Amino acid sequence: MTVVTAIRTLVSPATSDKVAMMMLWISASIAILILLFILGYIVIRGISVVNLSFLLGSPRLSGAEGGILPAIVGTFCLMVVAMLSAVPIGIGAAIYLAEYAPKGAVTGIITFGVECLAGVPSIVIGLFGYAFLVIYLGFGFSILSGGLALMFMVLPWIVRVSEESIKAVPMGLREGSFALGATKWQTVSRAVLPSAVPGIVTGVILGIGKAIGETAVIMFTAGSSLLMPSSLFDPVRALPYHLYILASEGISDTMAYGSSVVLLAMVLLINLAAIAVQKRYGRYHGRK
Amino acid sequence: MAGNEIEIESRDLNLWYGGAQALKDITLTMPEKKVTAIIGPSGCGKSTFIRCINRMNDLIKDCRITGELLFEGRNVYDKGVDAASLRKKIGMVFQKPNPFPMSVYDNIAYGPRLHGLRKREELDEIVEESLKASALWKEIADILDRSALDLSGGQQQRLCIARTLAVKPKVILFDEPCSALDPISTAKIEDLINNLKHDYTIVIVTHNMQQAARVSDYTAFFLLGELVEFGKTKQIFEMPEEKSTEDYITGRFG
Protein backbone atom coordinates (compact mmCIF):
# COMPACT_ATOMS: atom_id res chain seq x y z
CA MET A 1 0.00 0.00 0.00
CA THR A 2 1.40 3.38 -0.96
CA VAL A 3 1.42 6.31 1.38
CA VAL A 4 -1.34 8.11 -0.53
CA THR A 5 -3.76 5.24 -0.44
CA ALA A 6 -2.89 4.69 3.21
CA ILE A 7 -3.87 8.27 3.99
CA ARG A 8 -7.02 7.89 1.90
CA THR A 9 -8.15 4.95 3.94
CA LEU A 10 -7.37 6.73 7.20
CA VAL A 11 -9.04 10.07 6.42
CA SER A 12 -12.78 10.10 5.80
CA PRO A 13 -14.23 12.01 2.80
CA ALA A 14 -15.95 14.44 5.17
CA THR A 15 -12.64 15.27 6.85
CA SER A 16 -10.77 15.72 3.57
CA ASP A 17 -13.60 17.98 2.42
CA LYS A 18 -13.11 20.18 5.47
CA VAL A 19 -9.33 20.19 5.06
CA ALA A 20 -9.63 21.19 1.38
CA MET A 21 -12.02 24.04 2.19
CA MET A 22 -9.72 25.20 4.96
CA MET A 23 -6.71 25.31 2.64
CA LEU A 24 -8.61 27.27 0.00
CA TRP A 25 -9.90 29.69 2.62
CA ILE A 26 -6.36 30.25 3.87
CA SER A 27 -5.11 30.93 0.31
CA ALA A 28 -7.86 33.46 -0.30
CA SER A 29 -7.22 35.13 3.03
CA ILE A 30 -3.49 35.45 2.39
CA ALA A 31 -4.18 37.07 -1.00
CA ILE A 32 -6.48 39.65 0.57
CA LEU A 33 -4.22 40.20 3.57
CA ILE A 34 -1.26 41.02 1.33
CA LEU A 35 -3.34 43.63 -0.48
CA LEU A 36 -4.63 45.12 2.78
CA PHE A 37 -1.13 45.10 4.26
CA ILE A 38 0.37 47.01 1.31
CA LEU A 39 -2.50 49.47 1.18
CA GLY A 40 -2.49 50.00 4.94
CA TYR A 41 1.29 50.41 5.15
CA ILE A 42 1.39 53.01 2.40
CA VAL A 43 -1.67 54.93 3.53
CA ILE A 44 -0.46 55.08 7.15
CA ARG A 45 2.96 56.36 6.12
CA GLY A 46 1.77 58.70 3.42
CA ILE A 47 -1.65 60.04 4.32
CA SER A 48 -0.28 62.69 6.72
CA VAL A 49 1.15 64.80 3.88
CA VAL A 50 -1.86 64.44 1.57
CA ASN A 51 -3.94 67.57 1.72
CA LEU A 52 -5.20 70.17 -0.71
CA SER A 53 -1.97 72.12 -0.93
CA PHE A 54 -0.09 68.84 -1.60
CA LEU A 55 -2.47 67.98 -4.44
CA LEU A 56 -2.65 71.47 -5.91
CA GLY A 57 0.78 72.86 -5.07
CA SER A 58 4.06 72.93 -6.94
CA PRO A 59 7.06 71.05 -5.58
CA ARG A 60 9.89 72.94 -3.87
CA LEU A 61 13.43 71.70 -3.16
CA SER A 62 13.16 68.87 -5.77
CA GLY A 63 9.95 67.69 -4.17
CA ALA A 64 11.11 67.58 -0.57
CA GLU A 65 8.49 70.20 0.12
CA GLY A 66 5.43 71.54 -1.63
CA GLY A 67 2.98 69.63 -3.75
CA ILE A 68 2.78 67.30 -6.71
CA LEU A 69 0.40 69.04 -9.09
CA PRO A 70 2.80 69.08 -12.09
CA ALA A 71 3.29 65.31 -11.72
CA ILE A 72 -0.46 64.70 -11.55
CA VAL A 73 -1.00 66.89 -14.62
CA GLY A 74 1.94 65.18 -16.36
CA THR A 75 0.50 61.74 -15.67
CA PHE A 76 -2.88 62.89 -16.92
CA CYS A 77 -1.43 64.35 -20.16
CA LEU A 78 0.55 61.18 -20.86
CA MET A 79 -2.61 59.13 -20.33
CA VAL A 80 -4.60 61.25 -22.74
CA VAL A 81 -2.00 61.04 -25.51
CA ALA A 82 -1.52 57.29 -24.99
CA MET A 83 -5.25 56.58 -25.04
CA LEU A 84 -6.16 58.91 -27.92
CA SER A 85 -3.64 57.05 -30.05
CA ALA A 86 -4.05 53.51 -28.68
CA VAL A 87 -7.85 53.29 -28.56
CA PRO A 88 -8.69 53.93 -32.23
CA ILE A 89 -5.79 51.83 -33.50
CA GLY A 90 -6.42 49.06 -30.98
CA ILE A 91 -10.15 48.81 -31.59
CA GLY A 92 -9.65 49.05 -35.36
CA ALA A 93 -7.13 46.22 -35.27
CA ALA A 94 -9.42 44.17 -33.03
CA ILE A 95 -12.37 44.60 -35.39
CA TYR A 96 -10.22 43.54 -38.30
CA LEU A 97 -8.87 40.49 -36.49
CA ALA A 98 -12.24 39.40 -35.10
CA GLU A 99 -14.52 40.10 -38.05
CA TYR A 100 -12.60 40.42 -41.29
CA ALA A 101 -9.25 38.67 -41.16
CA PRO A 102 -9.33 35.35 -42.99
CA LYS A 103 -8.26 32.53 -40.71
CA GLY A 104 -4.81 31.96 -42.16
CA ALA A 105 -1.11 32.54 -41.94
CA VAL A 106 -1.25 36.35 -42.07
CA THR A 107 -3.80 36.60 -39.26
CA GLY A 108 -1.74 34.14 -37.27
CA ILE A 109 1.35 36.32 -37.72
CA ILE A 110 -0.52 39.48 -36.67
CA THR A 111 -1.92 37.79 -33.57
CA PHE A 112 1.51 36.39 -32.73
CA GLY A 113 3.03 39.85 -33.22
CA VAL A 114 0.46 41.42 -30.91
CA GLU A 115 1.21 38.81 -28.25
CA CYS A 116 4.94 39.39 -28.60
CA LEU A 117 4.48 43.15 -28.26
CA ALA A 118 2.53 42.49 -25.06
CA GLY A 119 5.47 40.49 -23.75
CA VAL A 120 8.20 43.04 -24.47
CA PRO A 121 9.58 44.29 -21.12
CA SER A 122 8.64 47.91 -20.48
CA ILE A 123 12.26 48.97 -20.05
CA VAL A 124 12.95 47.78 -23.62
CA ILE A 125 9.98 49.74 -24.93
CA GLY A 126 11.33 52.73 -23.02
CA LEU A 127 14.72 52.36 -24.68
CA PHE A 128 13.13 52.02 -28.10
CA GLY A 129 10.94 55.07 -27.42
CA TYR A 130 14.07 57.01 -26.49
CA ALA A 131 15.91 56.01 -29.68
CA PHE A 132 12.95 56.35 -32.03
CA LEU A 133 10.68 59.05 -30.63
CA VAL A 134 13.01 61.22 -28.59
CA ILE A 135 16.09 61.14 -30.84
CA TYR A 136 15.17 59.93 -34.34
CA LEU A 137 11.82 61.71 -34.73
CA GLY A 138 13.12 64.60 -32.67
CA PHE A 139 10.18 64.81 -30.28
CA GLY A 140 12.63 65.20 -27.39
CA PHE A 141 11.69 64.39 -23.82
CA SER A 142 8.06 65.33 -24.06
CA ILE A 143 4.45 64.47 -23.41
CA LEU A 144 4.22 63.35 -27.03
CA SER A 145 7.17 60.93 -26.78
CA GLY A 146 6.02 59.54 -23.44
CA GLY A 147 2.41 59.20 -24.52
CA LEU A 148 3.30 57.39 -27.74
CA ALA A 149 5.71 55.07 -25.91
CA LEU A 150 2.93 54.26 -23.45
CA MET A 151 0.71 53.60 -26.46
CA PHE A 152 3.14 50.86 -27.54
CA MET A 153 2.68 49.36 -24.07
CA VAL A 154 -1.11 49.35 -23.89
CA LEU A 155 -1.91 48.75 -27.56
CA PRO A 156 -1.59 44.93 -27.47
CA TRP A 157 -3.68 44.84 -24.31
CA ILE A 158 -6.46 46.88 -25.92
CA VAL A 159 -6.34 44.78 -29.09
CA ARG A 160 -6.66 41.52 -27.17
CA VAL A 161 -9.43 42.65 -24.83
CA SER A 162 -11.44 44.24 -27.66
CA GLU A 163 -10.96 41.23 -29.90
CA GLU A 164 -12.21 38.89 -27.18
CA SER A 165 -15.24 41.13 -26.50
CA ILE A 166 -16.13 41.25 -30.20
CA LYS A 167 -15.72 37.50 -30.62
CA ALA A 168 -17.94 36.91 -27.59
CA VAL A 169 -20.92 38.61 -29.30
CA PRO A 170 -23.29 35.75 -30.18
CA MET A 171 -23.45 34.67 -33.83
CA GLY A 172 -27.26 34.92 -33.68
CA LEU A 173 -27.00 38.67 -33.32
CA ARG A 174 -24.97 38.99 -36.50
CA GLU A 175 -27.41 36.73 -38.31
CA GLY A 176 -30.32 38.84 -37.09
CA SER A 177 -28.68 41.92 -38.52
CA PHE A 178 -27.77 40.33 -41.86
CA ALA A 179 -31.30 38.94 -42.18
CA LEU A 180 -32.64 42.52 -42.08
CA GLY A 181 -30.56 43.41 -45.11
CA ALA A 182 -27.54 44.87 -43.33
CA THR A 183 -24.14 44.86 -44.99
CA LYS A 184 -21.09 43.54 -43.19
CA TRP A 185 -19.96 46.96 -41.99
CA GLN A 186 -23.48 47.92 -40.91
CA THR A 187 -23.67 44.71 -38.92
CA VAL A 188 -20.29 45.27 -37.33
CA SER A 189 -20.81 48.94 -36.53
CA ARG A 190 -24.47 48.89 -35.48
CA ALA A 191 -25.05 45.49 -33.90
CA VAL A 192 -21.73 43.89 -32.96
CA LEU A 193 -19.78 46.87 -31.61
CA PRO A 194 -22.56 48.23 -29.36
CA SER A 195 -22.86 44.76 -27.89
CA ALA A 196 -19.12 44.58 -27.32
CA VAL A 197 -18.83 48.08 -25.82
CA PRO A 198 -18.97 47.11 -22.13
CA GLY A 199 -16.09 44.66 -22.61
CA ILE A 200 -14.08 47.06 -24.74
CA VAL A 201 -14.52 49.99 -22.37
CA THR A 202 -13.55 47.88 -19.39
CA GLY A 203 -10.46 46.76 -21.27
CA VAL A 204 -9.55 50.33 -22.18
CA ILE A 205 -10.01 51.59 -18.65
CA LEU A 206 -7.93 48.79 -17.17
CA GLY A 207 -5.35 49.60 -19.87
CA ILE A 208 -5.24 53.15 -18.50
CA GLY A 209 -4.75 51.63 -15.08
CA LYS A 210 -1.76 49.64 -16.34
CA ALA A 211 -0.25 52.67 -18.08
CA ILE A 212 -0.70 55.01 -15.14
CA GLY A 213 1.70 53.03 -13.00
CA GLU A 214 4.27 52.57 -15.74
CA THR A 215 7.67 54.00 -14.84
CA ALA A 216 10.35 52.42 -17.02
CA VAL A 217 8.79 53.54 -20.28
CA ILE A 218 8.34 57.18 -19.37
CA MET A 219 11.64 57.83 -17.63
CA PHE A 220 13.31 57.35 -21.02
CA THR A 221 10.78 59.36 -22.98
CA ALA A 222 8.82 61.91 -20.99
CA GLY A 223 11.69 63.47 -19.09
CA SER A 224 11.66 64.52 -15.44
CA SER A 225 10.75 68.18 -15.47
CA LEU A 226 8.90 69.41 -12.42
CA LEU A 227 7.51 72.41 -14.27
CA MET A 228 3.94 72.70 -15.43
CA PRO A 229 3.82 71.67 -19.14
CA SER A 230 2.32 74.09 -21.63
CA SER A 231 2.57 72.11 -24.87
CA LEU A 232 2.77 68.56 -26.20
CA PHE A 233 6.49 69.03 -26.67
CA ASP A 234 7.19 69.94 -23.06
CA PRO A 235 8.79 67.37 -20.79
CA VAL A 236 6.84 66.19 -17.76
CA ARG A 237 7.52 64.00 -14.78
CA ALA A 238 4.84 61.37 -14.24
CA LEU A 239 3.74 60.48 -10.73
CA PRO A 240 5.38 57.04 -10.53
CA TYR A 241 8.71 58.45 -11.72
CA HIS A 242 8.45 61.32 -9.24
CA LEU A 243 7.90 58.74 -6.53
CA TYR A 244 10.94 56.76 -7.71
CA ILE A 245 13.18 59.83 -7.62
CA LEU A 246 11.92 60.97 -4.22
CA ALA A 247 12.68 57.56 -2.75
CA SER A 248 15.84 56.52 -4.63
CA GLU A 249 17.62 59.83 -4.21
CA GLY A 250 16.62 60.07 -0.58
CA ILE A 251 14.81 63.37 -1.08
CA SER A 252 11.85 62.62 1.13
CA ASP A 253 10.34 59.30 2.20
CA THR A 254 7.17 60.90 3.51
CA MET A 255 6.58 62.74 0.25
CA ALA A 256 7.22 59.48 -1.64
CA TYR A 257 4.57 57.71 0.41
CA GLY A 258 2.21 60.65 -0.03
CA SER A 259 2.66 60.38 -3.81
CA SER A 260 2.01 56.65 -3.56
CA VAL A 261 -1.28 57.29 -1.82
CA VAL A 262 -2.33 59.64 -4.63
CA LEU A 263 -1.23 57.15 -7.29
CA LEU A 264 -3.15 54.33 -5.59
CA ALA A 265 -6.22 56.54 -5.33
CA MET A 266 -6.01 57.29 -9.05
CA VAL A 267 -5.79 53.58 -9.92
CA LEU A 268 -8.69 52.83 -7.59
CA LEU A 269 -10.80 55.57 -9.19
CA ILE A 270 -10.06 54.16 -12.63
CA ASN A 271 -11.19 50.70 -11.55
CA LEU A 272 -14.37 52.17 -10.07
CA ALA A 273 -14.94 53.99 -13.35
CA ALA A 274 -14.62 50.66 -15.18
CA ILE A 275 -17.35 49.19 -12.99
CA ALA A 276 -19.59 52.23 -13.47
CA VAL A 277 -19.17 52.16 -17.24
CA GLN A 278 -19.99 48.46 -17.33
CA LYS A 279 -23.21 49.13 -15.45
CA ARG A 280 -24.12 52.11 -17.58
CA TYR A 281 -23.51 50.46 -20.97
CA GLY A 282 -24.73 47.11 -19.74
CA ARG A 283 -28.24 48.40 -19.10
CA TYR A 284 -29.52 47.03 -22.38
CA HIS A 285 -27.80 43.73 -21.86
CA GLY A 286 -30.67 42.38 -19.81
CA ARG A 287 -31.24 42.01 -16.10
CA LYS A 288 -29.27 39.27 -14.54
CA MET B 1 -50.95 25.29 -57.69
CA ALA B 2 -54.59 26.23 -57.87
CA GLY B 3 -54.15 29.68 -59.31
CA ASN B 4 -51.43 30.82 -56.88
CA GLU B 5 -48.44 32.60 -58.28
CA ILE B 6 -45.15 30.93 -57.53
CA GLU B 7 -43.01 33.19 -55.36
CA ILE B 8 -39.94 31.05 -54.78
CA GLU B 9 -38.73 28.11 -56.75
CA SER B 10 -35.69 25.91 -56.35
CA ARG B 11 -34.40 23.88 -59.27
CA ASP B 12 -31.96 21.01 -58.77
CA LEU B 13 -30.46 22.75 -55.78
CA ASN B 14 -27.39 21.01 -54.36
CA LEU B 15 -25.38 22.16 -51.39
CA TRP B 16 -22.13 20.94 -49.90
CA TYR B 17 -20.48 21.84 -46.60
CA GLY B 18 -16.88 21.08 -47.52
CA GLY B 19 -17.04 17.53 -48.85
CA ALA B 20 -20.37 16.61 -47.24
CA GLN B 21 -23.48 17.02 -49.37
CA ALA B 22 -26.34 18.48 -47.34
CA LEU B 23 -28.95 19.02 -50.09
CA LYS B 24 -29.49 16.82 -53.11
CA ASP B 25 -31.33 18.00 -56.21
CA ILE B 26 -34.07 19.89 -54.40
CA THR B 27 -36.78 21.01 -56.81
CA LEU B 28 -39.60 22.74 -55.01
CA THR B 29 -42.03 25.62 -55.52
CA MET B 30 -43.38 27.89 -52.81
CA PRO B 31 -46.57 29.74 -53.74
CA GLU B 32 -47.25 33.39 -53.02
CA LYS B 33 -49.10 34.36 -49.85
CA LYS B 34 -49.31 30.80 -48.63
CA VAL B 35 -47.54 29.01 -45.82
CA THR B 36 -45.18 26.27 -46.92
CA ALA B 37 -43.94 24.04 -44.12
CA ILE B 38 -40.74 22.06 -44.35
CA ILE B 39 -40.65 19.05 -42.07
CA GLY B 40 -38.27 16.19 -41.49
CA PRO B 41 -36.03 14.67 -38.85
CA SER B 42 -32.96 16.48 -37.48
CA GLY B 43 -30.15 16.75 -39.98
CA CYS B 44 -32.42 16.31 -43.01
CA GLY B 45 -31.35 19.66 -44.47
CA LYS B 46 -34.55 21.60 -43.84
CA SER B 47 -32.81 24.53 -42.10
CA THR B 48 -30.01 24.44 -44.64
CA PHE B 49 -32.58 24.69 -47.42
CA ILE B 50 -34.46 27.66 -45.98
CA ARG B 51 -31.16 29.46 -45.38
CA CYS B 52 -30.44 29.13 -49.11
CA ILE B 53 -33.47 31.25 -49.90
CA ASN B 54 -32.09 34.44 -48.30
CA ARG B 55 -28.48 33.41 -48.84
CA MET B 56 -27.67 33.11 -45.14
CA ASN B 57 -25.39 30.23 -46.09
CA ASP B 58 -23.08 32.83 -47.62
CA LEU B 59 -21.83 33.39 -44.06
CA ILE B 60 -20.60 29.82 -43.83
CA LYS B 61 -17.16 29.03 -45.16
CA ASP B 62 -16.68 26.12 -47.53
CA CYS B 63 -20.34 26.13 -48.47
CA ARG B 64 -20.88 25.39 -52.17
CA ILE B 65 -24.17 25.57 -54.02
CA THR B 66 -25.23 24.46 -57.50
CA GLY B 67 -28.59 24.68 -59.21
CA GLU B 68 -30.99 27.59 -59.13
CA LEU B 69 -33.08 29.35 -56.55
CA LEU B 70 -35.54 31.65 -58.22
CA PHE B 71 -37.16 34.61 -56.49
CA GLU B 72 -39.15 37.10 -58.56
CA GLY B 73 -38.05 35.09 -61.58
CA ARG B 74 -34.35 35.61 -60.95
CA ASN B 75 -31.73 33.22 -59.61
CA VAL B 76 -30.64 34.69 -56.28
CA TYR B 77 -27.21 33.12 -56.79
CA ASP B 78 -26.64 35.02 -60.05
CA LYS B 79 -23.69 37.37 -60.10
CA GLY B 80 -25.00 40.86 -59.60
CA VAL B 81 -27.60 39.92 -57.00
CA ASP B 82 -26.81 41.79 -53.83
CA ALA B 83 -27.38 39.58 -50.79
CA ALA B 84 -28.22 42.55 -48.53
CA SER B 85 -30.96 43.84 -50.86
CA LEU B 86 -32.27 40.29 -51.25
CA ARG B 87 -32.53 39.87 -47.48
CA LYS B 88 -34.47 43.11 -47.25
CA LYS B 89 -37.18 41.42 -49.33
CA ILE B 90 -36.84 38.00 -47.70
CA GLY B 91 -36.88 38.35 -43.93
CA MET B 92 -35.98 35.63 -41.45
CA VAL B 93 -36.98 34.67 -37.92
CA PHE B 94 -34.57 32.35 -36.17
CA GLN B 95 -34.80 29.38 -33.86
CA LYS B 96 -33.51 31.22 -30.84
CA PRO B 97 -34.97 34.71 -30.34
CA ASN B 98 -32.10 37.09 -31.13
CA PRO B 99 -33.14 40.63 -30.22
CA PHE B 100 -30.32 43.18 -30.21
CA PRO B 101 -29.17 44.42 -26.80
CA MET B 102 -30.96 47.73 -27.32
CA SER B 103 -34.34 49.19 -26.48
CA VAL B 104 -37.49 47.62 -27.93
CA TYR B 105 -37.90 50.71 -30.12
CA ASP B 106 -34.35 50.59 -31.48
CA ASN B 107 -34.71 46.90 -32.25
CA ILE B 108 -37.63 47.59 -34.58
CA ALA B 109 -36.16 50.78 -36.00
CA TYR B 110 -32.89 48.95 -36.72
CA GLY B 111 -33.95 47.72 -40.18
CA PRO B 112 -35.60 50.93 -41.42
CA ARG B 113 -32.59 52.92 -40.20
CA LEU B 114 -30.24 50.61 -42.12
CA HIS B 115 -32.15 51.46 -45.23
CA GLY B 116 -31.88 55.17 -44.67
CA LEU B 117 -35.00 56.19 -42.75
CA ARG B 118 -34.20 58.92 -40.24
CA LYS B 119 -37.41 60.86 -39.58
CA ARG B 120 -38.68 60.28 -36.08
CA GLU B 121 -42.39 60.43 -36.98
CA GLU B 122 -41.99 57.86 -39.75
CA LEU B 123 -39.99 55.58 -37.49
CA ASP B 124 -42.61 55.97 -34.74
CA GLU B 125 -45.26 54.95 -37.20
CA ILE B 126 -43.36 51.88 -38.42
CA VAL B 127 -42.62 50.78 -34.86
CA GLU B 128 -46.29 51.02 -33.93
CA GLU B 129 -47.47 49.29 -37.11
CA SER B 130 -44.97 46.47 -36.76
CA LEU B 131 -45.77 45.89 -33.10
CA LYS B 132 -49.49 45.84 -33.86
CA ALA B 133 -48.96 43.40 -36.72
CA SER B 134 -47.01 41.11 -34.43
CA ALA B 135 -49.62 41.33 -31.65
CA LEU B 136 -47.19 42.91 -29.20
CA TRP B 137 -48.42 46.51 -29.15
CA LYS B 138 -50.89 46.11 -26.30
CA GLU B 139 -48.38 44.32 -24.14
CA ILE B 140 -45.38 46.61 -24.55
CA ALA B 141 -46.58 49.94 -25.97
CA ASP B 142 -45.49 51.77 -22.82
CA ILE B 143 -42.11 50.11 -22.38
CA LEU B 144 -40.61 50.85 -25.77
CA ASP B 145 -37.51 52.33 -24.13
CA ARG B 146 -36.81 49.23 -22.05
CA SER B 147 -34.18 46.71 -23.07
CA ALA B 148 -35.50 44.08 -25.46
CA LEU B 149 -33.67 41.51 -23.37
CA ASP B 150 -36.02 42.19 -20.45
CA LEU B 151 -38.93 40.72 -22.43
CA SER B 152 -40.00 37.09 -22.03
CA GLY B 153 -38.82 34.53 -24.59
CA GLY B 154 -42.16 34.54 -26.42
CA GLN B 155 -42.28 38.33 -26.50
CA GLN B 156 -38.69 38.43 -27.76
CA GLN B 157 -39.62 36.12 -30.61
CA ARG B 158 -42.62 38.28 -31.55
CA LEU B 159 -40.33 41.30 -31.33
CA CYS B 160 -38.03 39.59 -33.83
CA ILE B 161 -41.06 39.11 -36.08
CA ALA B 162 -41.97 42.80 -35.67
CA ARG B 163 -38.37 43.72 -36.47
CA THR B 164 -38.63 41.68 -39.68
CA LEU B 165 -41.99 43.26 -40.64
CA ALA B 166 -40.52 46.73 -40.16
CA VAL B 167 -38.38 46.42 -43.32
CA LYS B 168 -41.52 45.46 -45.30
CA PRO B 169 -40.39 42.16 -46.83
CA LYS B 170 -42.38 40.06 -49.30
CA VAL B 171 -41.33 36.73 -47.82
CA ILE B 172 -40.75 35.68 -44.24
CA LEU B 173 -38.70 32.61 -43.46
CA PHE B 174 -39.27 31.00 -40.07
CA ASP B 175 -36.52 28.63 -38.94
CA GLU B 176 -38.10 26.55 -36.14
CA PRO B 177 -39.44 29.72 -34.51
CA CYS B 178 -41.12 27.97 -31.59
CA SER B 179 -38.59 25.36 -30.60
CA ALA B 180 -37.36 27.48 -27.69
CA LEU B 181 -40.85 28.58 -26.55
CA ASP B 182 -43.54 27.32 -24.19
CA PRO B 183 -46.93 26.10 -25.54
CA ILE B 184 -48.76 29.41 -24.91
CA SER B 185 -46.12 31.49 -26.68
CA THR B 186 -46.11 28.89 -29.45
CA ALA B 187 -49.87 29.26 -29.93
CA LYS B 188 -49.45 33.06 -30.18
CA ILE B 189 -46.78 32.71 -32.86
CA GLU B 190 -48.95 30.25 -34.80
CA ASP B 191 -51.91 32.66 -34.68
CA LEU B 192 -49.60 35.35 -35.92
CA ILE B 193 -48.42 33.23 -38.86
CA ASN B 194 -52.03 32.57 -39.78
CA ASN B 195 -52.66 36.32 -39.91
CA LEU B 196 -49.44 37.19 -41.69
CA LYS B 197 -50.04 34.81 -44.58
CA HIS B 198 -52.64 37.20 -46.02
CA ASP B 199 -49.86 39.68 -46.75
CA TYR B 200 -46.68 37.63 -46.90
CA THR B 201 -45.35 34.47 -48.43
CA ILE B 202 -44.22 32.28 -45.56
CA VAL B 203 -41.85 29.35 -45.38
CA ILE B 204 -41.57 27.64 -42.02
CA VAL B 205 -39.19 24.93 -40.93
CA THR B 206 -40.51 22.92 -38.02
CA HIS B 207 -39.82 19.64 -36.31
CA ASN B 208 -43.30 19.77 -34.82
CA MET B 209 -45.69 17.97 -37.18
CA GLN B 210 -48.83 19.21 -35.47
CA GLN B 211 -47.55 22.70 -36.01
CA ALA B 212 -47.01 22.05 -39.71
CA ALA B 213 -50.53 20.63 -39.93
CA ARG B 214 -51.99 23.63 -38.11
CA VAL B 215 -50.31 26.52 -39.88
CA SER B 216 -49.36 25.45 -43.38
CA ASP B 217 -51.09 25.17 -46.74
CA TYR B 218 -48.32 23.15 -48.34
CA THR B 219 -45.86 20.75 -46.80
CA ALA B 220 -42.53 19.44 -48.00
CA PHE B 221 -40.99 16.38 -46.34
CA PHE B 222 -37.20 16.21 -46.36
CA LEU B 223 -35.11 13.18 -45.52
CA LEU B 224 -31.31 12.92 -45.59
CA GLY B 225 -30.94 15.99 -47.77
CA GLU B 226 -33.55 14.94 -50.30
CA LEU B 227 -37.08 16.12 -50.92
CA VAL B 228 -39.23 13.04 -50.45
CA GLU B 229 -42.66 14.47 -51.00
CA PHE B 230 -44.35 17.82 -51.53
CA GLY B 231 -48.02 18.66 -51.72
CA LYS B 232 -51.00 20.23 -50.03
CA THR B 233 -50.65 19.85 -46.28
CA LYS B 234 -53.96 17.99 -46.00
CA GLN B 235 -52.86 15.49 -48.58
CA ILE B 236 -49.40 14.97 -47.06
CA PHE B 237 -50.88 14.32 -43.65
CA GLU B 238 -53.91 12.29 -44.73
CA MET B 239 -52.71 10.25 -47.65
CA PRO B 240 -48.99 10.52 -48.22
CA GLU B 241 -47.70 8.80 -51.29
CA GLU B 242 -44.38 7.75 -49.89
CA LYS B 243 -43.90 5.14 -47.20
CA SER B 244 -41.18 7.16 -45.44
CA THR B 245 -43.46 10.24 -45.24
CA GLU B 246 -46.16 8.16 -43.62
CA ASP B 247 -43.68 6.59 -41.22
CA TYR B 248 -42.38 10.00 -40.17
CA ILE B 249 -45.80 11.57 -39.80
CA THR B 250 -47.15 8.70 -37.77
CA GLY B 251 -44.13 8.96 -35.50
CA ARG B 252 -42.41 5.74 -36.45
CA PHE B 253 -39.05 7.55 -36.61
CA GLY B 254 -37.63 11.02 -36.28
Side-chain angles (χ1 to χ4, degrees), chain B residues 111-171:
Chain B
R113 280 176 179 151
L114 284 179
H115 305 300
L117 198 66
R118 287 281 174 275
K119 282 197 190 128
R120 185 75 193 191
E121 314 87 72
E122 287 175 45
L123 285 172
D124 286 349
E125 206 172 295
I126 290 179
V127 168
E128 184 172 343
E129 259 171 36
S130 309
L131 282 174
K132 280 179 174 160
S134 60
L136 258 180
W137 181 252
K138 278 184 196 154
E139 287 168 56
I140 62 170
D142 45 354
I143 54 164
L144 295 181
D145 56 339
R146 282 258 294 274
S147 167
L149 301 186
D150 289 344
L151 302 179
S152 73
Q155 287 174 328
Q156 288 188 7
Q157 194 62 305
R158 278 180 287 147
L159 178 69
C160 291
I161 296 174
R163 189 172 77 179
T164 303
L165 298 179
V167 295
K168 307 197 184 329
K170 290 183 74 179
V171 179

Side-chain angles (χ1 to χ4, degrees), chain B residues 62-240:
Chain B
D62 300 327
C63 173
R64 193 161 60 82
I65 293 167
T66 65
E68 291 188 312
L69 206 144
L70 303 170
F71 170 65
E72 296 179 326
R74 191 173 182 199
N75 184 7
V76 303
Y77 288 97
D78 270 354
K79 283 199 178 95
V81 173
D82 174 48
S85 332
L86 176 76
R87 294 183 193 126
K88 186 171 179 279
K89 291 182 192 158
I90 307 181
M92 188 170 219
V93 176
F94 297 83
Q95 188 169 354
K96 203 166 161 270
N98 56 353
F100 302 125
M102 310 165 183
S103 70
V104 169
Y105 185 100
D106 288 340
N107 261 273
I108 301 171
Y110 186 89
R113 280 176 179 151
L114 284 179
H115 305 300
L117 198 66
R118 287 281 174 275
K119 282 197 190 128
R120 185 75 193 191
E121 314 87 72
E122 287 175 45
L123 285 172
D124 286 349
E125 206 172 295
I126 290 179
V127 168
E128 184 172 343
E129 259 171 36
S130 309
L131 282 174
K132 280 179 174 160
S134 60
L136 258 180
W137 181 252
K138 278 184 196 154
E139 287 168 56
I140 62 170
D142 45 354
I143 54 164
L144 295 181
D145 56 339
R146 282 258 294 274
S147 167
L149 301 186
D150 289 344
L151 302 179
S152 73
Q155 287 174 328
Q156 288 188 7
Q157 194 62 305
R158 278 180 287 147
L159 178 69
C160 291
I161 296 174
R163 189 172 77 179
T164 303
L165 298 179
V167 295
K168 307 197 184 329
K170 290 183 74 179
V171 179
I172 306 175
L173 310 172
F174 287 89
D175 188 1
E176 302 197 25
C178 303
S179 59
L181 303 181
D182 62 81
I184 293 170
S185 304
T186 300
K188 284 183 184 166
I189 303 263
E190 288 181 9
D191 284 348
L192 197 50
I193 291 173
N194 270 322
N195 288 332
L196 292 173
K197 75 174 179 187
H198 301 301
D199 301 310
Y200 304 91
T201 301
I202 289 171
V203 184
I204 176 170
V205 164
T206 174
H207 60 248
N208 176 337
M209 280 166 290
Q210 288 73 31
Q211 183 169 66
R214 281 192 299 262
V215 302
S216 69
D217 305 297
Y218 295 88
T219 296
F221 172 59
F222 276 50
L223 187 61
L224 299 169
E226 290 182 82
L227 173 65
V228 175
E229 195 168 351
F230 173 67
K232 289 208 158 149
T233 299
K234 202 169 152 55
Q235 179 225 318
I236 296 280
F237 277 85
E238 287 174 8
M239 16 175 200

Side-chain angles (χ1 to χ4, degrees), chain A residues 172 175 177-180 195 284, chain B residues 51 84 87 98 101 110 114-115 147:
Chain A
E175 289 187 335
S177 173
F178 281 123
L180 292 167
S195 309
Y284 283 131
Chain B
R51 292 167 73 96
R87 294 183 193 126
N98 56 353
Y110 186 89
L114 284 179
H115 305 300
S147 167

Side-chain angles (χ1 to χ4, degrees), chain A residues 247-269:
Chain A
S248 65
E249 295 186 2
I251 294 168
S252 164
D253 267 3
T254 336
M255 295 305 250
Y257 282 111
S259 306
S260 303
V261 172
V262 175
L263 191 58
L264 277 175
M266 284 168 88
V267 173
L268 197 70
L269 277 177

